[in-house]
Amino acid sequence: MAEIILPPKDFKKKAVIQDETFYEQGQDIETFWAERAKMLKWDQKWDQVLMRDPPYYKWFLNGKINASVNCLDRWITPGDKDKIAYIWEGEMGEVRKYTYEELYTEVNKFSNVLKNLGVKKGDIVSIYMPVIPELPIAMLACARIGAPHSVVFAGFSAESLRDRMEDAESKFLITVDGYYRRGKVLKHKQKSDEAVDKLDVSKVVVVKRGGNDITMVPNRDYWWHDLMAEADEYCTPEEIDSEDLLFLMYTSGTTGKPKGVMHSTGGYLTGVLTTMKWVFDLRDDDIYWCTADIGWITGHSYMVYGPLVAHSTSILYEGSPDYPSPARWWEIIEKYKVTILYTAPTAIRMFMRWGAQWLEKHNLKSLRLLGSVGEPINPEAWLWYYRHVGNNACPIVDTWWMTETGMQMITPLPGILPLKPGSATRPFPGVAVEIRGPSGALPPGEKGDLVITQPWPSMLRGLYKAPEKYKEEYWGKYGPEAFFTGDGAIMDQDNYLWLLGRIGDVLNVAGHRLGTAEVESALVDYPLVTEAAVVGIPDEIKGQVPFAYVSLAAGVEPSDDLKDKLMKHVSKIIGPTARPKDILFSDDLPKTRSGKIMRRVLRNLATKEEIGDITTLSNPEIVQVIRERLDKKA
Ligand code: WTA
């Protein structure tokens, strides 16, 4: 039996959500979600809550709603406008604070900048920036004028940015000159240029952050501060339909190239606002800190849209958790009296390794709720987080969700549910899930695929320009009314869910999704490589890391130097997270008679598990050869 942790009495008594009947009410999804949608400011009310045309679903049809109005204009009242929206801390210690009114003015101005540059409703604007205030400002300005944004994580390579801009046919880019990481300035504009120079991009706006030397291309590149200095202070928000695209977020799936997950406006805001308030037990005086990067879905939903639409105060931190020392996060919590901390298991495991002494010197008593997201959290890390960060007094909300769901889907309501370390507990009210196997729903205790059996308002609306892929990837395995998540899970006797990680060809490296096919395609992109197979292997800190098998062209000798070059190549093409932990060279790879590489065999070889049946291999002898080579390495 897993340990059970009850919500602290005082917490329970004051909790924002104490009414257990919400779970029942949530079974009528239309009434439940329509009720929640009323918390938003609609310019025109919807005339139908949900339209089902499986696998396509629409929410709040014909409703009109502008996301930037809901995040900002709404709060421009005498009582609300002076509340701090963001406290931003740069890695070097600079601090900038924005009230709702100040943020509103900046967003209005930048909306005018975008319009003056020729951005029209429906144009996709790419954003490639670290966590600085100009990033949410740019996103909200896009939302204000109805131009969907596509934010690309700043740590991604130039190639990744180029692929995404090309796929989105995006003609506009917002970027920075450089930014700080562990005290050094990274040359970001140079990376942006590498991507943009080969594309038909009309305008690039550059924020001055690093102060490093850069090249500005006349009539294409403009400084943010120059344009802002001349911009008008008010921009009339566009009329936006509930189903209009708010943003694209590229994420890894089973193919070599990431796909643009489409999120629309009304349903998305309904989902993120409800979870923001209910899951984080949000109160007016909370100081909330999500440590993610805005470049991921977690940042979109729970650093920008969720917190602002809920009128809360959030911390944004630009830099590394260990700069200048592993105490940085705890200093931030103490300094700003953070009450809610939302982070990832990888970070927690890293802090465990650095040791509790880095926390002990700091007063973390302001904390009252902790959250986890991005990967399964192992009970050991959960308990460490509970004890050392939460001082045995803060409930932990382990929130399961994904880019495609837009909002948290499986998570405790902290004032109601007893917690079990390592379990994300139950679906949020209004969310329906099942554990499925080939013959249907599985009973408690059996491992299977996690599927979502009812539509939810913040669900993806499609994959950009890839309708077939959308149907195949999510609605192929169990039909158009059951969303296949790609995660394995098990339900226990108390109907608590235990997530088991990704099934198949997508890895989760330190909370970042990565397709094995993406890494393979980066490897074969290298001239001397003929074939590559990538599998995920467990890693103590990062959860999973890629391990690669590579075949070289005839006559090419394997060497450490070549291995090193291949690793660097993968980093360059995708980004450092994709760098394989190790590479094994092999003249041949285990294949079926139809020529398909058997990744299962390669994975089990790498992790030293039972190989299982290999009778369908055309070259079974290679298994032994690879095994010996791996043993020699170890
Ligand atoms: C994994 C991140 C277990 C899962 C929000 C999912 C989790 C993938 C959890 C989505 C959790 C996320 N417990 N696994 N609490 N949260 N995951 O799209 O495998 O970057 O499919 O969205 O992360 O990653 P994505």
Side-chain angles (χ1 to χ4, degrees):
M1 261 311 268
E3 189 172 347
I4 292 186
I5 293 179
L6 297 172
K9 277 209 187 73
D10 196 44
F11 188 97
K12 200 176 160 80
K13 220 167 50 206
K14 292 194 209 139
V16 169
I17 299 299
Q18 306 183 9
D19 181 359
E20 293 184 28
T21 68
F22 279 127
Y23 283 105
E24 266 161 61
Q25 291 177 39
Q27 286 167 15
D28 175 359
I29 56 169
E30 294 193 25
T31 312
F32 177 81
W33 286 114
E35 204 48 48
R36 309 284 87 72
K38 289 182 192 156
M39 293 190 286
L40 295 162
K41 181 179 178 322
W42 295 81
D43 299 322
Q44 179 185 308
K45 204 185 163 197
W46 59 90
D47 51 31
Q48 186 184 340
V49 177
L50 172 64
M51 191 213 63
R52 297 174 190 252
D53 178 17
Y56 295 99
Y57 301 87
K58 290 182 176 165
W59 285 84
F60 309 118
L61 285 87
N62 299 318
K64 307 286 177 217
I65 181 166
N66 183 299
S68 108
V69 169
N70 271 274
C71 291
L72 300 166
D73 303 43
R74 246 190 127 173
W75 311 124
I76 305 307
T77 64
D80 291 334
K81 67 183 173 43
D82 297 326
K83 182 166 177 175
I84 302 279
Y86 285 130
I87 302 172
W88 173 82
E89 187 164 304
E91 200 185 61
M92 308 308 281
E94 330 79 303
V95 177
R96 280 199 254 160
K97 294 184 184 176
Y98 289 82
T99 63
Y100 274 85
E101 187 176 35
E102 286 162 347
L103 196 64
Y104 166 83
T105 305
E106 294 299 293
V107 168
N108 271 277
K109 282 166 72 179
F110 198 65
S111 303
N112 286 324
V113 166
L114 289 174
K115 279 180 147 179
N116 294 341
L117 289 175
V119 179
K120 303 233 156 27
K121 187 174 178 183
D123 288 345
I124 294 175
V125 175
S126 300
I127 305 181
Y128 187 46
M129 285 168 131
V131 177
I132 55 174
E134 287 83 353
L135 171 51
I137 290 168
M139 291 163 72
L140 292 162
C142 288
R144 191 166 191 86
I145 64 168
H149 51 72
S150 166
V151 181
V152 178
F153 171 54
F156 273 145
S157 65
E159 276 84 354
S160 299
L161 173 65
R162 188 191 308 140
D163 285 349
R164 286 158 174 78
M165 287 189 75
E166 208 164 20
D167 189 75
E169 294 167 67
S170 173
K171 304 268 179 269
F172 302 93
L173 176 68
I174 305 160
T175 185
V176 296
D177 54 353
Y179 65 96
Y180 290 88
R181 255 322 159 269
R182 294 207 169 81
K184 285 207 193 79
V185 174
L186 302 184
K187 294 180 184 152
H188 199 62
K189 173 69 162 59
Q190 219 169 356
K191 261 200 327 185
S192 308
D193 286 345
E194 264 177 62
V196 165
D197 287 348
K198 294 190 192 130
L199 294 174
D200 173 26
V201 164
S202 51
K203 303 289 171 199
V204 177
V205 181
V206 186
V207 176
K208 199 178 189 82
R209 168 70 192 131
N212 46 315
D213 283 339
I214 59 168
T215 329
M216 295 289 270
V217 176
N219 300 321
R220 186 195 75 181
D221 300 354
Y222 302 86
W223 284 110
W224 170 289
H225 54 262
D226 288 344
L227 300 175
M228 287 292 266
E230 287 166 12
D232 286 342
E233 290 214 348
Y234 181 73
C235 170
T236 311
E238 275 293 323
E239 182 180 278
I240 309 288
D241 189 86
S242 174
E243 279 295 313
D244 280 348
L245 189 62
L246 177 59
F247 65 85
L248 288 181
M249 172 94 246
Y250 280 84
T251 191
S252 301
T254 51
T255 48
K257 292 251 183 251
K259 290 278 177 284
V261 169
M262 296 158 69
H263 277 293
S264 65
T265 310
Y268 174 78
L269 292 178
T270 304
V272 299
L273 174 58
T274 312
T275 46
M276 183 78 209
K277 288 192 163 183
W278 292 22
V279 174
F280 294 125
D281 188 57
L282 197 68
R283 290 205 221 121
D284 195 39
D285 57 355
D286 272 315
I287 306 288
Y288 162 86
W289 184 21
C290 169
T291 67
D293 192 290
I294 294 177
W296 309 112
I297 192 71
T298 303
H300 280 50
S301 299
Y302 298 106
M303 293 168 84
V304 181
Y305 291 107
L308 297 176
V309 87
H311 194 231
S312 61
T313 299
S314 327
I315 306 283
L316 299 176
Y317 171 55
E318 176 190 38
S320 302
D322 57 347
Y323 189 83
S325 86
R328 185 65 184 264
W329 280 20
W330 320 118
E331 284 163 16
I332 292 177
I333 291 172
E334 181 170 17
K335 179 166 165 196
Y336 301 107
K337 303 199 167 49
V338 172
T339 57
I340 302 171
L341 176 68
Y342 192 31
T343 191
T346 293
I348 299 164
R349 291 190 294 261
M350 221 158 55
F351 285 114
M352 281 170 78
R353 184 160 76 178
W354 290 333
Q357 73 274 13
W358 292 105
L359 290 75
E360 280 156 8
K361 289 184 221 95
H362 295 279
N363 182 350
L364 308 181
K365 289 254 158 61
S366 56
L367 288 170
R368 61 178 198 90
L369 182 82
L370 305 175
S372 171
V373 60
E375 345 149 40
I377 179 162
N378 46 313
E380 196 194 354
W382 197 106
L383 288 166
W384 191 91
Y385 194 26
Y386 188 72
R387 281 190 199 123
H388 294 281
V389 183
N391 192 28
N392 298 315
C394 307
I396 297 181
V397 288
D398 173 11
T399 61
W400 179 91
W401 59 294
M402 51 199 295
T403 303
E404 291 82 346
T405 70
M407 67 176 218
Q408 298 155 338
M409 299 291 279
I410 303 176
T411 167
L413 287 178
I416 297 180
L417 286 189
L419 305 172
K420 297 188 191 186
S423 166
T425 74
R426 299 210 180 138
F428 190 79
V431 172
V433 310
E434 255 174 41
I435 309 295
R436 291 255 178 112
S439 55
L442 298 175
E446 281 187 41
K447 276 184 204 170
D449 293 344
L450 177 70
V451 299
I452 307 171
T453 55
Q454 287 287 350
W456 65 102
S458 63
M459 65 197 294
L460 79 167
R461 297 304 196 263
L463 292 177
Y464 196 62
K465 295 195 306 191
E468 288 312 313
K469 190 76 203 152
Y470 169 72
K471 289 185 199 158
E472 174 197 320
E473 186 120 0
Y474 307 111
W475 312 95
K477 198 163 176 183
Y478 295 105
E481 293 187 61
F483 177 89
F484 173 55
T485 62
D487 273 31
I490 192 166
M491 197 186 274
D492 70 14
Q493 298 298 337
D494 302 324
N495 292 340
Y496 272 44
L497 291 152
W498 298 77
L499 279 305
L500 303 170
R502 304 284 313 177
I503 321 161
D505 302 332
V506 179
L507 308 184
N508 189 326
V509 181
H512 302 163
R513 262 164 80 175
L514 179 68
T516 52
E518 284 172 68
V519 187
E520 287 165 6
S521 96
L523 285 164
V524 261
D525 178 71
Y526 198 82
L528 307 175
V529 172
T530 54
E531 211 165 35
V534 171
V535 299
I537 58 170
D539 181 85
E540 218 180 293
I541 302 284
K542 296 181 180 170
Q544 260 188 326
V545 285
F547 180 95
Y549 295 88
V550 165
S551 302
L552 298 170
V556 181
E557 279 303 311
S559 67
D560 284 347
D561 180 49
L562 183 55
K563 192 199 268 185
D564 196 50
K565 285 193 177 123
L566 285 175
M567 302 254 200
K568 288 203 176 109
H569 188 68
V570 174
S571 267
K572 178 167 180 297
I573 300 263
I574 309 176
T577 4
R579 191 186 162 95
K581 173 135 186 181
D582 204 354
I583 294 175
L584 187 94
F585 293 107
S586 174
D587 297 341
D588 200 4
L589 298 171
K591 286 185 190 146
T592 61
R593 292 196 184 94
S594 58
K596 243 182 123 194
I597 298 176
M598 288 266 274
R599 288 185 181 70
R600 169 180 62 81
V601 171
L602 290 172
R603 187 176 51 236
N604 293 0
L605 277 168
T607 55
K608 309 229 180 302
E609 281 168 68
E610 281 295 315
I611 301 301
D613 181 35
I614 52 167
T615 52
T616 57
L617 288 184
S618 65
N619 53 349
E621 66 291 343
I622 192 69
V623 171
Q624 192 50 28
V625 177
I626 292 179
R627 185 184 281 134
E628 280 165 19
R629 241 182 252 163
L630 283 166
D631 285 345
K632 226 167 45 204
K633 263 172 163 314

